[in-house]
Amino acid sequence: MTELKPVTLNCEIFWASMQEPNRMSNKYQIDLGNLSKAAADALEMRGINVRRKDGQGDFITVKSKNPIRAYDKDGEEIKGVLVGNGSIGKAVIGYYDWKNPAGQQGRSPSLMKLVITDLIIYGGGPEVKEADLEEAL
C-alpha cells in the first residue's frame, strides 16, 4: 500500500480519555464517531478499520501512550475540563503500522490534531443536593 497523506474529518467525540489512561486499554484514547461516508471511505482506503455502533455510527478509536491534546477554534489548547460525549470536532488522522512480539501486525489510526468546534464539558452527571431517604421505594 502506498503512503497516503493524512485525512481531515468532521466527527463527534465519544468516550474521551484524553488526560488519564482508559482503565481497559491503559492508554489515552478517544472515539471519533458519526463519520460521513466519505470520511469512512478515506480511512478504509488508508487501511484503517472503521467500525459501526448504534449511537456512534461509523467510528474509529484512536489510542496513544501520551495525553491527547485538543484545541479550540482559535488554536488555544483546551485544558482543565473533561471533553464530554457529543462534542463536535475536526480531526487530522494519519496512520502507523505495527507488529508485536507475538507476530501480530496491523495498521492503526494516529491522531495528528484535534480541534473541538462545539465543546460539551463532562461534569460527571447531575449532583443530588437533596433526597428524602424516608420516601425510598
Side-chain angles (χ1 to χ4, degrees):
M1 190 174 284
T2 61
E3 185 79 17
L4 296 172
K5 69 179 186 171
V7 61
T8 302
L9 47 90
N10 293 307
C11 59
E12 187 171 349
I13 297 165
F14 298 94
W15 310 112
S17 295
M18 298 168 55
Q19 301 306 310
E20 291 185 23
N22 177 282
R23 284 180 252 150
M24 295 183 72
S25 68
N26 203 31
K27 293 185 179 184
Y28 301 92
Q29 69 181 53
I30 186 170
D31 284 1
L32 305 176
N34 287 323
L35 303 175
S36 68
K37 171 130 176 54
D41 289 347
L43 291 166
E44 287 178 341
M45 187 171 64
R46 286 161 174 76
I48 297 170
N49 184 36
V50 176
R51 297 180 291 164
R52 175 172 273 286
K53 182 192 292 187
D54 287 344
Q56 284 186 223
D58 287 336
F59 76 99
I60 60 172
T61 301
V62 180
K63 297 179 183 182
S64 176
K65 293 179 182 177
N66 302 306
I68 297 172
R69 298 169 122 182
Y71 300 88
D72 65 19
K73 292 182 265 189
D74 297 324
E76 297 294 320
E77 186 173 356
I78 297 172
K79 293 182 179 180
V81 298
L82 298 176
V83 177
N85 288 351
S87 295
I88 304 296
K90 296 182 181 292
V92 180
I93 303 294
Y95 59 86
Y96 62 95
D97 295 320
W98 54 267
K99 185 175 183 179
N100 68 20
Q104 296 172 315
Q105 59 185 13
R107 177 167 283 178
S108 294
S110 175
L111 180 62
M112 301 174 84
K113 185 163 190 174
L114 176 62
V115 176
I116 298 178
T117 57
D118 185 9
L119 175 64
I120 295 174
I121 297 173
Y122 176 74
E127 181 179 331
V128 177
K129 297 193 188 277
E130 290 185 33
D132 186 353
L133 299 180
E134 299 299 321
E135 296 293 323
L137 302 176

